[in-house]
Amino acid sequence: MATTNRIDYSRMLETWRAVESAGGRDKYIEAQLKEKGYLVERKPTDSMSKAELERYKKSLKEEAAEKRRLAKEAWLAYKAAHLVHLGEGVFWNDQLDHDKWDLPGAEERQAENELPKLDKPKELAEALGVSIAELRRLAYHRDAATKLNYYRFEIPKRDGTKRAIWAPHRKLKAAQRWILREVVERLPVHGAAHGFLHGRSTATNAAVHRDSQILLKVDLKDFFPTVTLPRVKGVFRKAGYREQIATLLALLCTEAPRHVAEVEGKTYYLSLGPRCLPQGAPTSPAITNTLCLRLDRRLQGLAKKLGWRYTRYADDLTFSLPSDHKGKPGVGGLLGGISIIAAAEGFTVHPDKTRVHRSGGRQQVTGLVVNGKQGPRVTREFKREVRAAVHNLAHGKPLKEGETLSSLAGRIAYIYMTDKKLGKQLLAALGRV
């Protein structure tokens, strides 16, 4: 924000404090008119001379003009201290204290989850280190926007297509990281969830499924886009926040999928659907983890009843039947139950991404091999490729196209996660190079 705008904003907040101190807008305007000498005492005009009448009318006009100016000033001051409006299709009421959908004892729920006490938008703005005006800008929704708080780029998917990533700009990213650290990461998550959680990883996810006679992998379709604004708002409501704060937190963590269009040399970002979790926001994975608490409970209950094991890594659901299980596997019944539960929880099973792997072939979970009683490990091909890359570097040969020293170090760290001895050897070899 420019220096002039900061000064104006500070002055407007000072004006609003004066309005509140006066007892409201009308009393503030009346006091200002009186103090500045604009307030005209009303008199009968019947006995006034023509000159007196002209002076009286002129005074009334000056009073009316000043009253309009003060009313505009009071309105701008109100906007500086309040959110007023948050965009098309967003319900907002600055005066709303309680809502019929608020949880009974919401404050107690906040305390139970050890969440920061946030009752007013001003408190949230202060916690995020932004002004009310900045909070409005970060949360505001437009169906056709010329500017966004996100920038777009693409990364390749395993099937060769491109995945669009919408990454937040610096100010919004800082706000989302605060929400992640202070709110979302403190909410309950099921033990079957392994993605994007401290102390859990692809390795802990895979370890559950070693030594399986059957491995079943299921994918949830359009996972992040399915988690829309009302569902995210529901997470914050359930956490113990009331209507206003839950609305703001949900807006800060969501964005509509957008089509980028050029019209007469101007770029427009056109909404293609409801606001949802963007792939690229730091809050998105953690929000899905707490949102899927009941989904995970139900799927684990189903799996346990049929003798299977269950974990979830983001939108990847994995079920395995232990090698010592006796009786019928019940794969068909399990698949049917998964689809029913997923639909009841607002998700859809991807019809083309369900895979069954038996013990006779390679069984992989989140990229790691889990055949036999041995712990999860990377594939032989992966180890061979990394060894070859380090060997080539040691002999002065270049890396493969698209690979860098950083990406190679990352691949070695991936090996180290499940094979510390080999990982140390490869890291040492890379260090010598």
Side-chain angles (χ1 to χ4, degrees), residues 191-210 309-313 318 365-366 368 370 375-377 414 417-418:
H194 287 261
F196 314 101
L197 290 165
H198 295 301
R200 302 185 200 179
S201 63
T202 55
T204 63
N205 183 60
V208 175
H209 303 286
R210 61 187 177 182
R309 300 171 295 199
Y310 163 70
T311 63
R312 181 180 58 80
Y313 194 97
T318 306
V365 178
T366 44
L368 298 170
V370 293
R377 61 271 185 202
Y414 188 60
M417 181 173 62
T418 57

Side-chain angles (χ1 to χ4, degrees), residues 387-398:
R387 281 196 182 106
V390 174
H391 180 269
N392 288 340
L393 277 177
H395 289 80
K397 296 179 182 179

Side-chain angles (χ1 to χ4, degrees), residues 36-325:
K36 295 177 180 180
Y38 283 98
L39 193 62
V40 179
E41 182 184 352
R42 270 42 179 183
K43 299 175 182 178
T45 57
D46 297 346
S47 57
M48 289 183 184
S49 65
K50 188 175 181 180
E52 287 174 331
L53 185 60
E54 287 299 318
R55 285 196 299 272
Y56 183 65
K57 286 181 178 180
K58 183 181 178 183
S59 297
L60 289 174
K61 286 180 180 179
E62 289 173 350
E63 180 196 273
E66 181 64 10
K67 190 173 182 179
R68 286 193 297 272
R69 190 193 71 77
L70 288 168
K72 183 179 178 181
E73 183 181 79
W75 170 241
L76 291 174
Y78 180 88
K79 285 177 68 177
H82 298 80
L83 292 168
V84 184
H85 181 55
L86 288 173
E88 298 114 327
V90 179
F91 170 76
W92 184 260
N93 182 351
D94 279 319
Q95 308 307 318
L96 189 65
D97 289 325
H98 296 280
D99 181 83
K100 68 177 182 177
W101 301 114
D102 287 334
L103 280 178
E107 288 75 14
E108 288 80 0
R109 182 66 69 88
Q110 284 182 49
E112 285 173 13
N113 289 318
E114 298 182 344
L115 303 182
K117 188 174 181 296
L118 300 171
D119 293 325
K120 302 290 182 184
K122 183 181 178 184
E123 294 172 353
L124 177 59
E126 289 171 352
L128 296 176
V130 299
S131 67
I132 286 291
E134 287 173 318
L135 180 59
R136 184 192 304 116
R137 180 179 62 79
L138 293 175
Y140 203 89
H141 174 77
R142 288 184 176 86
D143 286 332
T146 54
K147 288 183 180 178
L148 281 186
N149 291 309
Y150 291 83
Y151 63 93
R152 184 182 185 276
F153 62 94
E154 293 180 338
I155 59 172
K157 294 165 71 173
R158 280 181 294 183
D159 60 5
T161 59
K162 299 286 187 179
R163 186 191 306 278
I165 303 294
W166 291 89
H169 287 303
R170 182 180 59 84
K171 202 92 173 182
L172 179 58
K173 191 173 187 177
Q176 289 176 345
R177 281 180 169 163
W178 185 92
I179 295 168
L180 175 65
R181 183 179 65 252
E182 300 297 332
V183 180
V184 182
E185 286 185 341
R186 301 185 183 195
L187 300 178
V189 173
H190 196 273
H194 287 261
F196 314 101
L197 290 165
H198 295 301
R200 302 185 200 179
S201 63
T202 55
T204 63
N205 183 60
V208 175
H209 303 286
R210 61 187 177 182
D211 195 23
S212 303
Q213 55 176 289
I214 304 176
L215 188 71
L216 173 65
K217 297 198 286 187
V218 176
D219 185 88
L220 296 177
K221 188 178 181 181
D222 298 328
F223 189 51
F224 283 176
T226 302
V227 184
T228 54
L229 176 70
R231 299 183 74 179
V232 178
K233 184 175 172 180
V235 167
F236 294 118
R237 276 289 187 91
K238 194 173 181 181
Y241 288 116
R242 297 193 182 276
E243 166 69 22
Q244 286 184 325
I245 298 299
T247 298
L248 286 168
L249 291 173
L251 286 168
L252 290 169
C253 294
T254 58
E255 179 53 85
R258 301 276 178 173
H259 171 68
V260 184
E262 295 285 338
V263 181
E264 297 180 353
K266 196 169 186 177
T267 302
Y268 289 89
Y269 302 91
L270 306 175
S271 171
L272 296 176
R275 290 178 76 97
C276 57
L277 292 179
Q279 198 147 26
T283 40
S284 294
I287 287 174
T288 61
N289 278 337
T290 190
L291 181 76
C292 288
L293 178 61
R294 193 169 67 174
L295 172 75
D296 291 333
R297 280 178 182 160
R298 295 182 68 183
L299 289 177
Q300 187 177 62
L302 172 69
K304 188 176 180 181
K305 183 179 178 181
L306 298 175
W308 291 67
R309 300 171 295 199
Y310 163 70
T311 63
R312 181 180 58 80
Y313 194 97
D315 56 349
D316 293 326
L317 314 179
T318 306
F319 300 82
S320 62
L321 192 66
S323 62
D324 58 0
H325 178 81

